């Protein structure tokens, strides 16, 4: 069995190789299918499908800056896929929610990506597919734990 550092390096190398390629594949499939959504926009719609959110939390969860996220959100709002409203509890916050048109776009975009990714694994054994799914789920948990443990405290003054 390889040493722990070798296994860790192997995982890191695999992630660095595979994740960007998967992202490009998903982007290409969305474009090829005629969808007007990007992977980042699709991910925002997925987050909003889980319930009303604020822009800062979506940006933090997506590991992008607030300015970049504002651009993504502006496009989704302009297209009627997302509704943006001021919070009645805290007027500084903008609450975001998915519109019915956003739900339709989310379902269509998700189906495109699912079909493309399904084609990648269709010839694998079911046990191999299950291992990939389990490994990715565990990696997501580790990412969430790492992010929570390494979150930079927010400034006390509002920006």
């Amino acid at each position: 069995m390889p040493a722990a550092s070798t296994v860790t390096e192997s995982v890191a190398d695999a992630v660095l190789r595979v994740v960007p390629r998967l992202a490009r594949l998903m982007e290409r499939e969305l474009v090829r299918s005629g969808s007007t959504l990007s992977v980042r926009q699709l991910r925002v719609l997925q987050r909003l499908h889980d319930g009303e959110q604020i822009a800062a939390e979506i940006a933090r969860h997506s590991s992008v800056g607030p300015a970049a996220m504002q651009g993504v959100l502006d496009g989704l709002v302009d297209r009627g896929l997302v509704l943006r409203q001021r919070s009645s509890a805290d007027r500084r916050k903008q609450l975001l929610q998915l519109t019915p048109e956003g739900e339709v776009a989310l379902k269509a975009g998700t189906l495109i990506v699912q079909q493309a990714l399904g084609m990648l694994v269709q010839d694998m054994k079911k046990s191999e597919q299950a291992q990939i799914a389990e490994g990715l789920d565990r990696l997501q948990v580790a990412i969430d734990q790492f992010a929570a443990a390494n979150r930079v405290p927010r400034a006390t003054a509002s920006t």
Side-chain angles (χ1 to χ4, degrees):
M1 174 171 246
S5 64
T6 305
V7 171
T8 302
E9 290 169 6
S10 175
V11 170
D13 288 345
V15 168
L16 285 169
R17 259 191 340 271
V18 172
V19 169
R21 293 184 73 193
L22 279 173
R24 285 192 302 272
L25 178 133
M26 291 185 290
E27 288 287 353
R28 277 195 309 265
E29 287 303 309
L30 286 167
V31 169
R32 190 180 66 74
S33 71
S35 174
T36 58
L37 291 176
S38 67
V39 171
R40 182 171 286 166
Q41 290 171 327
L42 183 62
R43 184 67 191 119
V44 168
L45 295 180
Q46 287 171 332
R47 291 278 304 177
L48 293 175
H49 179 73
D50 296 338
E52 191 174 72
Q53 306 258 333
I54 61 170
E57 185 59 32
I58 294 174
R60 192 171 19 262
H61 188 78
S62 302
S63 300
V64 298
M69 184 52 64
Q70 271 317 122
V72 172
L73 291 170
D74 288 346
L76 293 170
V77 168
D78 290 347
R79 292 169 44 203
L81 304 178
V82 171
L83 180 63
R84 186 177 358 208
Q85 297 176 314
R86 291 265 175 223
S87 168
S88 58
D90 183 347
R91 301 293 293 162
R92 297 171 295 173
K93 292 182 179 178
Q94 291 186 349
L95 299 177
L96 304 164
Q97 66 185 102
L98 211 50
T99 65
E101 295 82 5
E103 287 282 355
V104 170
L106 171 60
K107 286 179 182 159
T110 299
L111 182 61
I112 291 163
V113 170
Q114 285 175 339
Q115 288 175 340
L117 296 175
M119 290 177 65
L120 295 178
V121 300
Q122 70 184 359
D123 293 334
M124 294 180 187
K125 295 177 186 172
K126 296 294 181 204
S127 61
E128 292 170 325
Q129 293 178 25
Q131 285 177 330
I132 291 169
E134 181 183 340
L136 290 172
D137 285 343
R138 292 179 70 186
L139 183 59
Q140 181 62 55
V141 168
I143 290 168
D144 291 344
Q145 290 171 343
F146 180 85
N150 294 287
R151 183 163 287 149
V152 175
R154 297 183 66 159
T156 55
S158 63
T159 55

